[in-house]
Amino acid sequence: MHPPISPASPSARIDELREQIRYHEHRYYVLDDPEITDAEYDALVRALQKLEDEHPELRTPDSPTQRVGGKPREGFQKSAHSSAMLSLDNALDEAELRAFDNRVRELLNGAAFQYVAELKMDGLSMAARFADGTFRQAITRGDGEIGEDVTENARTIRSMPLTVKRQEAFEVRGEVVMNRRSFDKLNAARDESGQSRFANPRNAAAGSLRVLEPAITASRTLDYYVYFVLEDGRPAFPSHWESLDWLAGQGFKVNAKRKLCANVEEVLEFIRHYEGERETLPYDIDGVVIKIDSIEQQIALGYTAKAPRWAIAFKYAARQAETEVEGISLQVGRTGALTPVAYLRPVEVGGVTVSRATLHNEDEIERLELQIGDTVVIERSGDVIPKVVRVKMQGSTRQRFSMPTTCPVCGGHVVREEGEAASRCINANCPARLRESILHFASRSVMNIDGVGDALVEQLVSRGIVKSVADIYDLTADIVASLDRMGQKSAENIIRNIERSKTLPMPRVLSGLQIRFVGERTAELLAEQLGSLDIIADATAAELQTCPEIGPKVAESILAFFSEAENRKLLERLRGYGLQFEHTVKRKKSGPAAGFTFVLTGTLPTMTRDEAKAQIEAAGGKVVGSVSSKTSYLVAGEEAGSKLDKARTLNIPILDEAGLIQLLVRTEE
Ligand code: IVH
C-alpha cells in the first residue's frame, strides 16, 4: 500500500499545471510536434482554470489561461519603440542583389563576412518586450517610431511565450502571420455568416491583431515568428545567427528555414530553392531577407535615412497577370453551393497557364465591381484555383452577371438564405451535388479511395449506379469494368482500394458523412471527446458542446443531420459494410504512467473525472471502467463504492487525488 501522501497545495498544483501546459504549448505551437491530443491539452487548461477560479489571488498575467482574451477596450494606446523599426530596401532581381553584395564588399574593404538568409514572411511586424522572465508588452510597427500597444491581443497568440528563462529585460521583433489553412477557414466561416472575405492572409493577420476585442484575436490562430533580439534597443549577440538560435532556445518560434551563407551564390541558391517551394509552404512569403551575420560589421555598414545597409529584402515576383474575363459560369458543390467561376482568356502566371479563376460568391463579384468583358488582375498563390484581385479596365462591351433562380445542372430551386453569402441548389438529389459529395468521400483526406476520380464518378452518377456514398461499397469489379475507359485490372484495383477504406479510423467516416461544419479537424475532436460514432449520433447539444471548439451552431448542425431518417439509414448501411464506428485512441507509449492501467471512482477534491483521465493519459497511462486483476491503481475520491471494495479484495494499490498527482510527477524524475 502507498504511504499517506499530503495533498499538494493549490499553489503548487497551479505551478505544476502551468509548467505542463507551457511545455505542451511549446511542442504544439512552436515546434509543430505535439505529444498529447487536443482533448488532453484542453483538460489541463480546464483544470488550471478551475483552480484559478477557486483561488483568484493566484492568477497571474503570464498564466496560460490568460490567452483567451480579456475585455474589449476603447482604443489602442500609442507606444514608442526602443529604437526605430525600419523597413528594408528591396532587390527585385538577381542583378539588384549582386549590386547589394558588391556594395557590401566594397564598404567592408574586402574583409571576410557571412550572410544569413531567412524567409520574408508576409505578415505584419511587431515588437514584444520581456522583463523578469515574463512577456510584458507588444507594439505594432506603426510608423516605425510609434506603434500601437496590442499587448492583450498578442498574449492570445499561442506561439508567443508568456514566460522565458532570461530574467533581464529584452525585446524581440518579428512577424505576426496567419497560415493559409487558418486563413481559408476564416474566410469560409465569414462566407457562412455573410461577412466580407479577407483579401489575403496578411490582411487577415492585421485585421485579427488590431481588433479591440482580444477574444477575437484569440479565435484567429495567429503565429509570431521572431527574427531579432535587442537589449536596450541594440543587438544582444555578436552575430545574428547566434541570436536566432538563442531565441529558439528561449521558446520563441524562429523559422527553421534559414541558412548561414558564405557568399552571394549560396544566397541565390537559397532564394531559388524557396521560390520553388513557395507554394507548398503553409504560410505566404513574399521573398527572402538577407542580413550580414556579424553585428560588428552591421554597425560598420550602418544605415541610410530609411533602411539598414547591412540587409536587403529580395522580393519574389508577384504571381499576377492581366487578362480578360470571357464569361462566368457556375459550379455546384457538394453542399449545393453555387460558386461563380470566371472563364479567362488563357494567360501564363508563374509558369502555369491559367484559364479559370474563382469568384467565390455573388458578394465578391459585387465587391470587385466585375462584369463579363472586363480586364482583370489575377493572382496565383498556394491555392489550386487562382483568384481575381481587381478589375484593371472595364470592357468596351460589358455584361452583368446575375445569380440564376434555378440550378444550372438539375433545374432545382436556388436559394440564398438570410445572412449567408452562398446561394444553394436545394435539390438534395441534384446530380452535381451527388457527384461532388462522392468525390469528397473518396478523397485522400477522407476515405482515401484511389482511382475514384472525376471521370469514374461522373459515369457512376449519370448512369444511376451510385445514388449515395454508401453505394460505393456495393460496387463490384464487373460493374466498374463495364464503364467507359476502364479495364478489368484497374477495376479490380479500385475494388481493393474500396475494401481497404473500411479499415480507416472513425473520424474519417464521420467527416465523410459531410455534416455541415464537420470537417476533418472537428471530426477528430468529436471522436476524441466522445469515442464512438453511435455516441456522437445520439449526443445532445450539450454533450456535443463539451467538445473543444464545438459551439451551438456546429452542435445544431450535427443534431439536425442525425435527426433525418435518411441519414440514419446511411449510417446503418455503412455499419453493415464494416466501416469503423469506434475511435481507437492513439496512446502514448512513453510517459511516467506508461504501462499502468487506472480505474477512477468517487469524487476527487479538485479534478473532475475527465480531467484526471486526461492527466493520466497525458502521462501515457490508460483509464478503464472496471477493476480487475490487471488494474494497476484505483484512484478513489469521496463516496467511492463497490469498485473500492473490489480493489481492496484484489489487493490493488489505492490512490487519492494527491497520491495520483504525486505518482504522475514522481515517476517523471
Ligand atoms: S528584418 C531593419 N527579417 O519585412 C530590419 N523582416 O521589408 C527589418 N519581414 O518590416 C526587418 N520576414 O515586417 C526581417 N525574416 C525577416 C522578415 C522581415 C518578414 C518583414 C518585416 C519588415 C519587412 C521589411
Side-chain angles (χ1 to χ4, degrees):
M1 274 304 228
H2 273 265
I5 295 162
S6 66
S9 71
S11 118
R13 172 92 184 111
I14 283 179
D15 284 347
E16 187 195 320
L17 280 167
R18 284 181 187 162
E19 201 164 310
Q20 285 183 359
I21 293 168
R22 281 179 193 129
Y23 173 79
H24 291 300
E25 286 186 338
H26 183 251
R27 301 263 356 160
Y28 188 100
Y29 295 104
V30 177
L31 304 179
D32 288 328
D33 184 18
E35 282 178 3
I36 60 174
T37 64
D38 292 5
E40 287 163 347
Y41 167 78
D42 289 334
L44 291 174
V45 175
R46 278 201 300 269
L48 175 60
Q49 185 76 58
K50 184 156 173 257
L51 279 171
E52 288 183 353
D53 288 346
E54 287 162 10
H55 305 277
E57 73 285 359
L58 296 175
R59 186 170 287 149
T60 56
D62 65 357
S63 172
T65 56
Q66 301 307 297
R67 292 203 193 267
V68 291
K71 292 188 203 73
R73 277 143 311 140
E74 297 281 303
F76 291 109
Q77 297 282 330
K78 299 271 185 231
S79 200
H81 286 294
S82 59
S83 61
M85 270 182 102
L86 299 175
S87 76
L88 296 175
D89 284 335
N90 293 329
L92 299 179
D93 54 30
E94 185 178 327
E96 290 186 13
L97 182 65
R98 288 188 185 277
F100 165 79
D101 178 58
N102 287 336
R103 212 156 50 233
V104 167
R105 280 188 290 142
E106 200 173 305
L107 289 169
L108 292 178
N109 293 318
F113 69 94
Q114 298 187 96
Y115 288 118
V116 175
E118 296 163 38
L119 297 183
K120 186 167 175 341
M121 320 272 313
D122 202 5
L124 65 151
S125 44
M126 182 178 85
R129 292 180 183 163
F130 291 76
D132 305 318
T134 46
F135 166 68
R136 287 296 166 83
Q137 194 187 21
I139 313 169
T140 61
R141 178 169 183 276
D143 64 4
E145 300 289 337
I146 293 173
E148 285 171 335
D149 184 317
V150 288
T151 308
E152 291 318 312
N153 297 5
R155 201 190 293 288
T156 71
I157 302 176
R158 301 304 167 115
S159 43
M160 167 77 80
L162 299 183
T163 60
V164 289
K165 284 179 240 152
R166 184 189 156 101
Q167 295 300 302
E168 298 80 32
F170 67 98
E171 176 179 327
V172 300
R173 290 180 179 181
E175 202 79 353
V176 175
V177 300
M178 181 180 286
N179 71 34
R180 287 200 198 116
R181 216 185 132 117
S182 304
F183 170 72
D184 289 340
K185 247 179 90 172
L186 175 60
N187 265 349
R190 290 173 77 87
D191 280 348
E192 289 283 351
S193 61
Q195 289 166 283
S196 62
R197 306 173 62 91
F198 283 111
N200 53 47
R202 177 167 31 84
N203 289 0
S208 302
L209 184 67
R210 297 185 60 262
V211 287
L212 293 171
E213 207 168 326
I216 294 182
T217 315
S219 71
R220 297 272 175 90
T221 51
L222 296 173
D223 253 321
Y224 186 44
Y225 285 87
V226 301
Y227 43 67
F228 268 132
V229 48
L230 303 170
E231 227 174 15
D232 296 328
R234 284 187 298 275
F237 287 88
S239 81
H240 181 57
W241 189 255
E242 274 172 85
S243 70
L244 294 177
D245 285 343
W246 181 83
L247 283 163
Q250 292 287 315
F252 291 95
K253 195 158 190 164
V254 183
N255 203 324
K257 298 187 184 351
R258 57 180 188 264
K259 188 172 182 234
L260 196 55
C261 300
N263 51 46
V264 74
E265 302 307 328
E266 286 187 21
V267 170
L268 280 162
E269 201 181 303
F270 182 90
I271 290 173
R272 285 184 205 116
H273 175 74
Y274 283 104
E275 167 118 66
E277 296 265 289
R278 199 177 164 190
E279 306 290 316
T280 62
L281 296 172
Y283 40 73
D284 279 359
I285 59 170
D286 57 347
V288 168
V289 176
I290 299 113
K291 299 168 187 164
I292 309 295
D293 185 40
S294 149
I295 303 301
E296 201 185 317
Q297 289 176 329
Q298 286 187 3
I299 294 167
L301 289 163
Y303 297 81
T304 66
K306 53 179 252 306
R309 284 198 196 88
W310 45 264
I312 196 154
F314 182 93
K315 292 274 216 143
Y316 288 131
R319 304 198 147 173
Q320 290 191 338
E322 287 173 23
T323 188
E324 193 188 316
V325 174
E326 294 178 336
I328 295 177
S329 76
L330 289 162
Q331 265 178 6
V332 186
R334 64 191 161 88
T335 61
L338 267 54
T339 305
V341 176
Y343 278 77
L344 309 167
R345 181 157 40 73
V347 60
E348 198 188 288
V349 195
V352 172
T353 304
V354 170
S355 54
R356 295 188 316 165
T358 179
L359 292 166
H360 300 294
N361 53 48
E362 233 178 332
D363 290 351
E364 178 72 1
I365 297 177
E366 211 158 283
R367 187 186 70 83
L368 292 165
E369 295 179 22
L370 172 75
Q371 294 190 23
I372 299 163
D374 289 352
T375 296
V376 293
V377 176
I378 60 162
E379 186 175 86
R380 197 162 71 83
S381 74
D383 313 314
V384 198
I385 307 180
K387 66 180 184 197
V388 175
V389 183
R390 61 176 182 277
V391 172
K392 172 85 185 187
M393 200 178 61
Q394 296 188 351
S396 48
T397 54
R398 307 179 80 205
Q399 191 191 334
R400 193 181 291 279
F401 166 83
S402 64
M403 195 53 88
T405 53
T406 56
C407 172
V409 176
C410 71
H413 283 296
V414 169
V415 171
R416 180 170 172 185
E417 273 179 38
E418 180 85 26
E420 283 210 6
S423 304
R424 291 176 207 277
C425 164
I426 55 168
N427 172 13
N429 296 317
C430 171
R433 288 181 63 169
L434 181 58
R435 196 175 56 223
E436 292 303 316
S437 95
I438 307 277
L439 283 170
H440 174 264
F441 187 82
S443 66
R444 183 158 306 161
S445 59
V446 186
M447 298 310 285
N448 194 17
I449 310 179
D450 217 17
V452 179
D454 275 327
L456 184 79
V457 173
E458 176 64 49
Q459 293 187 64
L460 291 172
V461 170
S462 63
R463 297 185 190 196
I465 302 172
V466 166
K467 298 195 186 69
S468 124
V469 294
D471 292 341
I472 293 177
Y473 292 98
D474 276 340
L475 291 175
T476 62
D478 287 343
I479 300 178
V480 177
S482 74
L483 300 173
D484 298 343
R485 293 185 303 277
M486 189 54 74
Q488 188 68 29
K489 193 136 190 90
S490 28
E492 277 162 19
N493 273 339
I494 288 174
I495 298 299
R496 221 183 345 265
N497 296 341
I498 293 175
E499 268 315 295
R500 205 191 43 201
S501 77
K502 295 179 181 174
T503 63
L504 290 180
M506 181 272 261
R508 286 176 179 252
V509 181
L510 178 54
S511 71
L513 293 175
Q514 310 180 36
I515 303 169
R516 210 141 163 241
F517 309 124
V518 182
E520 288 157 57
R521 180 178 161 79
T522 308
E524 277 288 344
L525 294 172
L526 281 162
E528 258 168 33
Q529 181 80 2
L530 298 170
S532 92
L533 202 46
D534 290 308
I535 296 179
I536 295 166
D538 292 332
T540 62
E543 283 161 354
L544 292 167
Q545 285 181 61
T546 61
C547 210
E549 294 180 27
I550 305 246
K553 197 162 123 188
V554 183
E556 193 47 53
S557 154
I558 297 171
L559 281 183
F561 181 88
F562 288 111
S563 67
E564 283 288 329
E566 280 302 314
N567 294 333
R568 288 283 180 169
K569 276 190 210 150
L570 170 65
L571 208 59
E572 286 322 307
R573 283 189 65 197
L574 294 178
R575 187 201 309 280
Y577 294 118
L579 273 68
Q580 301 302 310
F581 273 48
E582 297 297 321
H583 186 46
T584 41
V585 187
K586 289 168 256 146
R587 275 194 206 292
K588 288 194 0 155
K589 291 183 196 65
S590 64
F596 294 138
T597 305
F598 295 75
V599 174
L600 304 170
T601 183
T603 316
L604 300 175
T606 74
M607 286 192 248
T608 65
R609 202 69 81 80
D610 282 345
E611 286 160 7
K613 182 164 183 265
Q615 293 259 337
I616 293 169
E617 287 177 351
K622 196 161 105 180
V623 177
V624 298
S626 61
V627 177
S628 75
S629 60
K630 293 202 191 88
T631 308
S632 321
Y633 294 97
L634 178 81
V635 182
E638 257 177 72
E639 284 169 44
S642 61
K643 286 181 188 171
L644 183 57
D645 300 335
K646 182 150 184 210
R648 284 197 174 119
T649 28
L650 291 172
N651 236 342
I652 285 162
I654 295 157
L655 302 175
D656 60 4
E657 183 185 278
L660 171 67
I661 292 167
Q662 205 87 350
L663 177 116
L664 297 181
V665 177
R666 192 187 46 203
T667 35
E668 219 156 23
E669 285 157 8

